[in-house]
Amino acid sequence: MSKPIYVLNGPNLNRLGTREPQIYGSTTLAEVETLCREAGGAREIVFRQSNREYELIDWIHEAIDKGAAIIINPAAYSFTSIAILDALKMFPGPIVELHISNIHRREAHYHKSYVSLAATAIIAGLGAQGYAVAVKAAIDLAERSG
């Protein structure tokens, strides 16, 4: 039996669909979850969101023991959380960092992601569809890494 793909979402992503739609689009987090499950096919997807840093870290720890890959949209924690970086550095499998917007076309404080230091791959600027791309990539990376 294959290990699941963990899709972890950080602060304010529960407001997708209504939060700054000109940047993040109108797709809700529930719709993003559906995209992920469809892209994953038969592969188990563990899909979670939290506004709490410690909870994201606990889920990364869970993925260390149970997961094949992590897709993480750490949102604002991308640019502030060394604790999340440290947790991700312990994960032995592929890590896909995901951003709905292209963070490199935004204000300067969005340009340096700590999470990128642990990421196997980075997807940014594809909107909500980036999640489907990330799931397919994570599955492929996990299968190639054994």
Side-chain angles (χ1 to χ4, degrees), residues 14 58 65 133:
N14 56 308
D58 285 346
D65 297 328
V133 173

Side-chain angles (χ1 to χ4, degrees), residues 27-101:
T27 305
T28 67
L29 191 63
E31 292 168 327
V32 167
E33 182 175 0
T34 298
L35 287 171
C36 289
R37 295 192 186 286
E38 288 173 355
R43 190 66 172 254
E44 181 184 356
I45 303 290
V46 175
F47 190 93
R48 296 181 178 152
Q49 186 277 329
S50 182
N51 296 319
R52 298 171 192 89
E53 183 180 35
Y54 77 87
E55 197 161 36
L56 290 165
I57 292 167
D58 285 346
W59 293 336
I60 293 166
H61 291 174
E62 179 182 313
I64 291 167
D65 297 328
K66 298 179 181 178
I70 294 174
I71 298 164
I72 185 165
N73 183 344
Y77 290 137
S78 307
F79 319 106
T80 64
S81 183
I82 293 172
I84 289 176
L85 168 62
D86 285 346
L88 288 169
K89 285 171 29 181
M90 290 184 270
F91 185 71
I95 298 167
V96 178
E97 177 182 3
L98 173 69
H99 298 281
I100 293 170
S101 69

Side-chain angles (χ1 to χ4, degrees), residues 68-72 85 88-89 91-98 114-123 134 137-142 144-145:
I70 294 174
I71 298 164
I72 185 165
L85 168 62
L88 288 169
K89 285 171 29 181
F91 185 71
I95 298 167
V96 178
E97 177 182 3
L98 173 69
Y114 287 109
V115 171
S116 293
L117 298 172
T120 307
I122 302 164
I123 296 171
I139 291 170
D140 182 58
L141 289 166
R144 285 194 281 145
S145 69

